[in-house]
Amino acid sequence: MLVDRGGRIERVAIGDARRVDVPREPSAPSGRDRFCTLRWIATKREDEPLTPTDLSPLALHRLDAMAVVAVEEDGTPGPVRIAHLLPAEERERSRAAKEPPRRPDLIVPRGLARPARERHVEDVVADGERYRLLPPRPASLIDEDFLDLIGALEEEFERTRKRTRVSGKAGRAILVHVTTGSRIAGEESIDELEELATSAGLGVVERIVQRRHHFDPRTLMGSGRLDDLIIRASRLQADYIIVDQDLTPAQARAIAESTAIKVIDRSQLILDIFARRARTHEGKIQVELAQLKYLLPRLMSRGDSGLSRLEGGIGGRGPGEQKLEVDRRRVRDRIKSLEKMLQAERTRREQRRARRRERDVPVVSLVGYTNAGKSTLLNVLTKSEVFVEQRMFATLDPSSRRLRLPREREIVINDTVGFIRDLPKDLLAAFRATLEEISDSDLLVHLVDMSHPRHEAQIKAVTSILEELGHRDMRRLLVFNKADAVDPQLVLHILENYPGAMAISAFKREGIQALLRKVDDLLAEDRAASRLNTQLA
């Protein structure tokens, strides 16, 4: 049974001869370093030492303490074994999570010194968590002041958290990637997820890659691994668990019901970054539309405890709590309203493009993976001051500038939203109006960060998105940027693998004139071919 700090029984459950599960749904304590204000009292048929399995609910549910009462053959209570959590010391954090229980020589936290009479108190480590085990005693001899004990523990947890704080204004995160493929591919994917988390202002405290034969349809990673993850997140004082895959609504709900720590998936993290970066009215409309479409199937009935984990902070920026609490019908009405606004923006964009066509001004669009250096190149080419920052999705709102080429031809050059692998479909649909600028281009300059270790995969991702947008046959110029950060021999090797490509450094303004001449030549070739086709027709 679960007993609160006032001595009231909150809930009772009946188990079997092997184990008794904690009879409660997890609820958020008043802080990550506070306990859930409940003690767990259970019975066993024999007096046995507490195992790691017995102790795990303390960490999983942040229980104040647990007491296991042995039952004698005649039904009378036997010895009582009591345990509670201890803060993790810095050296304990670096140990392997699967270290077996043992009795280390640990420094006793302030306020938690052992009474002299308790010579058999043990401090053990199990699954990376520290526990204190009091010796078995008859119930009549248990006289600890548990309120003082829990108060001292919570103070020590807070001190430990401050000593081990990880940089990140928005909080601390554990990254999780579950794969049925190779571990190498999983590590590469979680590397990109870490870049995204850092861009969102999070401090990453741990990365986990799990290989499985198949995904668990309910929790993606399996219930046992989920429990281990929740315990680890609690030990590291994580604010967020970020899953590299997109969770289905059912999976998101099942995981949210298992922990008070906020769990978000890759799409939700990207949506949050877009919400932070959108500056124009149109950009904010696009992001809100994408968020509402993403969250609509995940909305639950009013008052559901899982709903609160979809609001505020990382993964919940944009629509806000008020909009998420309304019923599905009102959310759909809002989606329709936003789509009408975007349609109006699409009409205005089409009118601007029509005026360009009338003036016969060629259009060149910069496309590429996020953080490839498109905005930097635009600033160099046009002497502009478009916002530039070394982070993913620094540019959300497209910019158009006029540029004069070496042959005195004037063109319009567009800076577009950066692409990313597995871009959320709702986000791609919401930004389709913006991306339609690409469809009116005479030439696409595909910019690639050649210093990135996975630039080949990034090229494939951008090509796939362009094809999805219907631009398979549009003329492209492949340009490798950041050549100054790569060994010259490697630059030559990369260019050999991509005939017709060229290398530049937008930051150091190297190769810019050669790029302008190449763009000029390609546009001239297209115009000559167009005139020939007109004559033949």
Side-chain angles (χ1 to χ4, degrees):
M1 58 187 177
L2 288 168
V3 183
D4 67 16
R5 293 180 184 178
R8 293 177 291 271
I9 296 175
E10 184 189 80
R11 198 168 303 179
V12 176
I14 299 175
D16 54 30
R18 291 172 295 179
R19 64 177 296 173
V20 179
D21 291 323
V22 178
R24 72 186 294 265
E25 292 290 333
S27 61
S30 55
R32 288 171 304 157
D33 307 302
R34 301 188 66 82
F35 295 99
C36 72
T37 73
L38 296 172
R39 282 167 280 178
W40 182 33
I41 302 174
T43 59
K44 273 192 173 183
R45 295 180 62 182
E46 298 177 359
D47 179 30
E48 299 173 335
L50 299 177
T51 66
T53 302
D54 296 328
L55 295 171
S56 63
L58 279 170
L60 183 62
H61 300 294
R62 307 297 294 170
L63 296 169
D64 284 5
M66 65 179 296
V68 178
V69 184
V71 180
E72 306 289 358
E73 291 185 1
D74 60 358
T76 56
V80 181
R81 292 181 180 267
I82 297 173
H84 61 75
L85 283 170
L86 284 176
E89 293 292 334
E90 189 66 28
R91 55 180 169 169
E92 293 301 318
R93 292 176 180 275
S94 62
R95 299 185 188 277
K98 295 184 179 180
E99 184 177 358
R102 58 190 182 85
R103 184 172 179 173
D105 182 18
L106 298 175
I107 299 173
V108 179
R110 286 174 291 176
L112 302 178
R114 303 172 185 173
R117 61 182 175 82
E118 292 184 355
R119 298 181 181 274
H120 301 292
V121 167
E122 285 189 282
D123 292 347
V124 301
V125 177
D127 294 327
E129 196 71 48
R130 292 181 65 216
Y131 304 91
R132 172 159 294 177
L133 309 182
L134 304 184
R137 287 169 292 167
S140 59
L141 296 182
I142 297 174
D143 57 357
E144 280 81 6
D145 188 329
F146 276 98
L147 293 181
D148 285 348
L149 172 65
I150 297 304
L153 278 171
E154 290 179 335
E155 289 178 5
E156 186 61 28
F157 269 96
E158 172 63 19
R159 280 193 290 268
T160 303
R161 182 183 68 84
K162 290 180 178 178
R163 289 196 301 268
T164 59
R165 190 184 302 274
V166 173
S167 61
K169 295 180 181 179
R172 301 156 61 93
I174 290 181
L175 310 183
V176 181
H177 179 88
V178 184
T179 180
T180 57
S182 69
R183 177 169 288 274
I184 294 176
E187 291 290 349
E188 290 179 350
S189 182
I190 207 169
D191 284 343
E192 183 173 87
L193 185 68
E194 184 169 0
E195 289 184 57
L196 287 167
T198 303
S199 294
L202 291 169
V204 176
V205 296
E206 190 158 354
R207 302 167 15 140
I208 300 171
V209 176
Q210 180 197 14
R211 292 187 65 215
R212 294 178 59 90
H213 293 297
H214 56 82
F215 297 122
D216 187 281
R218 184 173 183 272
T219 61
L220 186 71
M221 64 194 74
S223 57
R225 178 54 67 92
L226 177 61
D227 286 348
D228 293 342
L229 174 63
I230 293 169
I231 292 174
R232 189 176 302 185
S234 176
R235 174 169 57 89
L236 296 175
Q237 288 105 30
D239 301 281
Y240 302 93
I241 296 173
I242 304 178
V243 182
D244 199 17
Q245 286 79 3
D246 285 343
L247 299 172
T248 65
Q251 288 171 340
R253 189 171 297 118
I255 295 175
E257 290 172 351
S258 302
T259 177
I261 300 172
K262 189 169 184 179
V263 181
I264 62 177
D265 61 21
R266 187 173 184 273
S267 288
Q268 208 168 350
L269 179 61
I270 293 174
L271 287 170
D272 178 83
I273 295 173
F274 271 63
R276 288 167 175 260
R277 308 286 161 77
R279 290 179 173 82
T280 65
H281 177 64
E282 181 183 5
K284 293 176 181 178
I285 292 174
Q286 290 168 325
V287 172
E288 183 179 355
L289 177 61
Q291 287 183 313
L292 287 176
K293 284 186 173 180
Y294 172 84
L295 291 173
L296 181 60
R298 293 163 173 80
L299 290 176
M300 293 172 279
S301 60
R302 188 185 304 272
D304 193 299
S305 60
L307 181 60
S308 63
R309 299 182 185 111
L310 297 176
E311 306 141 359
I314 297 295
R317 192 176 307 277
E321 181 177 355
Q322 294 300 317
K323 292 190 180 69
L324 291 180
E325 287 184 346
V326 301
D327 57 29
R328 293 175 181 269
R329 181 183 60 79
R330 292 186 60 189
V331 172
R332 291 192 181 98
D333 289 344
R334 178 62 177 168
I335 289 175
K336 290 179 181 178
S337 174
L338 292 172
E339 288 176 338
K340 288 180 180 178
M341 294 181 191
L342 284 184
Q343 182 58 45
E345 292 290 341
R346 183 180 291 114
T347 301
R348 284 192 285 272
R349 286 183 179 276
E350 177 56 35
Q351 291 170 350
R352 288 196 294 269
R353 290 196 294 267
R355 288 194 293 270
R356 290 176 193 164
R357 287 192 293 267
E358 290 175 1
R359 293 194 296 267
D360 195 27
V361 179
V363 177
V364 176
S365 291
L366 302 177
V367 299
Y369 214 78
T370 178
N371 205 25
K374 297 183 294 297
S375 297
T376 301
L377 179 58
L378 180 70
N379 288 341
V380 170
L381 292 175
T382 63
K383 297 181 175 58
S384 303
E385 295 183 357
V386 174
F387 177 75
V388 173
E389 190 170 350
Q390 185 66 23
R391 62 179 181 179
M392 304 181 86
F393 300 117
T395 301
L396 278 191
D397 304 307
S399 303
S400 297
R401 298 289 188 273
R402 287 186 176 272
L403 173 66
R404 191 169 294 276
L405 296 177
R407 295 179 184 177
E408 297 301 318
R409 177 187 287 113
E410 189 177 71
I411 67 171
V412 171
I413 185 165
N414 293 322
D415 180 18
T416 61
V417 178
F419 296 158
I420 193 170
R421 173 185 58 83
D422 299 329
L423 191 68
K425 294 189 180 299
D426 291 329
L427 193 59
L428 188 61
F431 276 77
R432 193 172 294 274
T434 301
L435 296 172
E436 283 177 359
E437 293 283 355
I438 298 175
S439 64
D440 204 44
S441 302
D442 297 274
L443 175 67
L444 299 182
V445 175
H446 180 178
L447 205 64
V448 181
D449 177 4
M450 70 187 317
S451 67
H452 199 286
R454 296 184 299 279
H455 64 266
E456 293 181 353
Q458 293 182 352
I459 292 173
K460 293 178 181 178
V462 172
T463 301
S464 175
I465 293 174
L466 288 173
E467 291 177 355
E468 186 177 346
L469 292 170
H471 306 319
R472 179 190 297 271
D473 301 324
M474 186 169 291
R475 189 157 194 178
R476 300 174 214 166
L477 172 60
L478 189 62
V479 179
F480 287 94
N481 189 25
K482 306 184 184 180
D484 58 300
V486 180
D487 183 86
Q489 293 298 321
L490 181 58
V491 172
L492 294 176
H493 176 71
I494 292 175
L495 292 178
E496 287 176 359
N497 294 331
Y498 294 92
M502 59 188 306
I504 67 168
S505 171
F507 180 71
K508 292 195 172 181
R509 291 172 167 76
E510 297 172 354
I512 300 301
Q513 291 304 314
L515 172 61
L516 289 174
R517 287 193 295 269
K518 184 69 172 178
V519 170
D520 204 352
D521 292 342
L522 291 175
L523 290 176
E525 290 176 12
D526 288 344
R527 290 304 170 95
S530 178
R531 284 195 298 268
L532 179 61
N533 291 334
T534 301
Q535 293 172 2
L536 292 176

